[in-house]
Amino acid sequence: MGLLKVQAELEEYRRLMEPPPPEEFEEGFSVRTILGALFVAFVMLPGAAYLSLVTGAGLGSAPQWVTVILFMEVARRSFITLKRQEIYLLYIVAGAILGANPYSGYIWNVFLRTSQVTKGLGVADDIPTWLVPRADSPAILQRTFFHSDWLIPIAISLALLLLTRASGFAAGYILFRITSDYERLPFPLAPVGAQGATVLAEISRKEETWRWRYFSIGAMIGLAFGLFYAGIPTITGALMNRPLQLIPIPFIDLTQNTESVLPATPIVIATDLGGLLVGFVVPFWAAVGGFIGSLIPAVLNPLLYRGTFGTVYLRNWRPGLDAIQTEMLNQYDFWLSARIGAGLGIAAIGITSAIMLALRETRRIRRRTDQEERLPL
């Protein structure tokens, strides 16, 4: 009975998460979409960069929904009804602009150039000038991007952005067809965005359904949490020498408390509400796999530090370091190269499996074609 009840609840959840099918196909690209993109670029982009550097985490999809809700309210007061296609396209455009935010990367690179941590490791001066200007450059001393020393880093980032977009349109489409049409993998977070666009389109047409109630509850939960998580530290940081953090940002650091049991292992508890809510949406085994993956460094780091495998790999770690320092040293000593190797291995497995799947599908289609040709007329 318990298993049947769980299955029934899952089916009910899937039914609710499926948006209603469109009655007709309409164009979503309009002047309103362009104005929304400009608003994101000039207003939301700097705010997202600032908060990502202050809190150590991005805003996620919050700026996208703020843009959509703002334009929806402006449209309602102008007696204009936004179509679902326009709302979702505006949501996608906002995500694309915020996802390609280069400004926070420039500021982060400046921090790496001038940080006491990188200077203590002796790598601050080894950072190439095509990534960030030198520490004594007027561009850094005067805190400005309008300097010739930034020309090469900005040009390289723009080239990388162009290549990323090109690969996203090409390889991204191929991978989507493989995962969606051949492997038929679920996309658990995709219905969330679709439901958000659907509920806002319903409100634009002055139709309130159960989706709007759930959307409002989630918005109020996020607003209350954001007030304590990022609002109070931001306000008090502008008024006092040290900001008041009721909730540690971005995590609770337990590394120094557990270093006697788990040396060279950063132990933290994330305080971001988004990760908790995503855990309610992703498939069960995806959450289990993520949990197991997070335990692998906790098991291997003490062994790598003690030289269990014949060589001491984590040589630079010392007791008393916090999670950020421990993670940075571990990345330099071992995990950076290990992740590169693991990424190459996963890529090889994925490419091989995709090729084998395509070959099997080709043979199946060829056999079916041969059978149809042998049929008598």
Side-chain angles (χ1 to χ4, degrees):
M1 291 296 294
L3 181 60
L4 294 177
K5 183 178 180 180
V6 171
Q7 292 293 339
E9 291 178 351
L10 288 176
E11 292 299 329
E12 179 69 13
Y13 169 76
R14 294 190 181 100
R15 185 185 66 81
L16 293 176
M17 290 302 292
E18 290 180 357
E23 299 176 356
E24 59 181 348
F25 292 96
E26 299 183 22
E27 179 64 44
F29 186 77
S30 62
V31 177
R32 292 186 287 267
T33 309
I34 298 176
L35 293 177
L38 294 176
F39 172 79
V40 174
F42 288 100
V43 178
M44 304 304 298
L45 194 61
Y50 172 76
L51 285 181
S52 65
L53 294 171
V54 170
T55 63
L59 294 178
S61 60
Q64 301 170 248
W65 291 115
V66 169
T67 303
V68 173
I69 293 174
L70 175 63
F71 273 79
M72 185 194 70
E73 291 298 326
V74 173
R76 289 179 61 185
R77 282 154 178 77
S78 303
F79 302 100
I80 298 175
T81 301
L82 292 178
K83 298 179 294 186
R84 187 193 310 174
Q85 291 81 359
E86 290 179 327
I87 292 176
Y88 197 71
L89 183 60
L90 182 59
Y91 174 80
I92 295 298
V93 170
I97 295 175
L98 295 173
N101 185 357
Y103 304 107
S104 58
Y106 298 150
I107 299 174
W108 175 253
N109 292 337
V110 172
F111 167 76
L112 292 179
R113 172 73 81 183
T114 59
S115 173
Q116 296 297 326
V117 176
T118 54
K119 289 182 179 179
L121 294 173
V123 298
D125 295 333
D126 296 332
I127 301 176
T129 55
W130 52 261
L131 184 65
V132 61
R134 300 185 62 85
D136 56 354
S137 171
I140 294 181
L141 297 178
Q142 299 175 8
R143 297 186 178 185
T144 178
F145 288 119
F146 297 98
H147 194 273
S148 59
D149 290 347
W150 279 110
L151 290 178
I152 295 179
I154 292 177
I156 292 177
S157 65
L158 291 178
L160 291 176
L161 177 61
L162 180 62
L163 294 175
T164 301
R165 290 301 177 193
S167 64
F169 285 119
Y173 177 75
I174 295 174
L175 293 176
F176 167 75
R177 294 301 299 268
I178 292 174
T179 56
S180 176
D181 297 348
Y182 288 98
E183 298 182 359
R184 299 187 181 278
L185 298 179
F187 292 82
L189 298 180
V192 177
Q195 289 286 358
T198 300
V199 66
L200 293 180
E202 293 173 348
I203 293 300
S204 180
R205 298 192 302 265
K206 298 182 180 180
E207 300 176 2
E208 291 191 10
T209 61
W210 60 269
R211 295 184 181 88
W212 175 248
R213 183 169 64 254
Y214 292 169
F215 187 89
S216 302
I217 293 174
M220 290 301 102
I221 293 175
L223 181 62
F225 180 80
L227 175 63
F228 290 97
Y229 185 72
I232 293 178
T234 302
I235 296 174
T236 56
L239 302 177
M240 300 185 299
N241 294 330
R242 186 174 181 179
L244 176 62
Q245 294 184 3
L246 301 180
I247 303 176
I249 300 175
F251 47 72
I252 301 174
D253 191 355
L254 302 176
T255 304
Q256 297 176 355
N257 302 91
T258 59
E259 63 182 17
S260 60
V261 180
L262 298 173
T265 304
I267 302 296
V268 299
I269 299 177
T271 56
D272 184 16
L273 185 62
L276 177 63
L277 296 179
V278 169
F280 288 100
V281 180
V282 298
F284 172 76
W285 289 111
V288 172
F291 176 73
I292 295 175
S294 65
L295 293 180
I296 293 177
V299 175
L300 290 181
N301 281 348
L303 303 179
L304 297 173
Y305 173 72
R306 296 190 178 101
T308 306
F309 301 105
T311 303
V312 178
Y313 291 96
L314 305 181
R315 299 181 298 272
N316 292 314
W317 182 83
R318 297 293 181 271
L321 299 180
D322 58 17
I324 296 177
Q325 295 169 332
T326 301
E327 179 65 20
M328 184 175 295
L329 293 175
N330 291 350
Q331 290 292 329
Y332 290 149
D333 289 340
F334 177 79
W335 285 107
L336 182 60
S337 57
R339 293 181 191 278
I340 293 175
L344 294 176
I346 293 174
I349 294 174
I351 294 173
T352 303
S353 61
I355 293 175
M356 294 177 62
L357 183 62
L359 292 176
R360 287 198 301 267
E361 187 69 16
T362 302
R363 287 195 295 266
R364 186 183 65 82
I365 295 175
R366 188 176 301 170
R367 286 196 300 267
R368 186 176 63 183
T369 304
D370 294 340
Q371 292 175 359
E372 292 177 354
E373 291 177 352
R374 295 193 187 98
L375 293 176
L377 298 177

